Amino acid sequence: MAEHRNRTRIVAVSVAVLGAALAACGLAQNFWQFILCRIGVGAGDSGAGPPVASLIGDHYPRTSAPR
């Protein structure tokens, strides 16, 4: 998805999901609510990795890599 969509928007949505899920974890009142919130944390956290790595890679030319 990071190759075909707007990467900055993917990162923004992912951070929003992560923030909402973290806030919900603080409000969870039982085990199952907490587990569902932690699933949301995992989804939000995993959605940012590949697009961020790709965006960072776009800022550096290939010739600047150490040999």
Side-chain angles (χ1 to χ4, degrees), residues 2-63:
E3 296 175 2
H4 302 291
R5 305 274 185 207
N6 185 350
R7 293 174 292 185
T8 54
R9 185 170 292 153
I10 292 171
V11 171
V13 169
S14 178
V15 169
V17 168
L18 178 63
L22 284 172
C25 281
L27 299 174
Q29 295 182 357
N30 60 41
F31 177 76
W32 295 109
Q33 288 176 353
F34 186 70
I35 290 296
L36 290 175
C37 294
R38 289 296 299 171
I39 290 170
V41 169
D45 191 32
S46 67
V52 168
S54 179
L55 285 169
I56 290 171
D58 286 347
H59 289 309
Y60 296 100
R62 291 181 187 251
T63 58

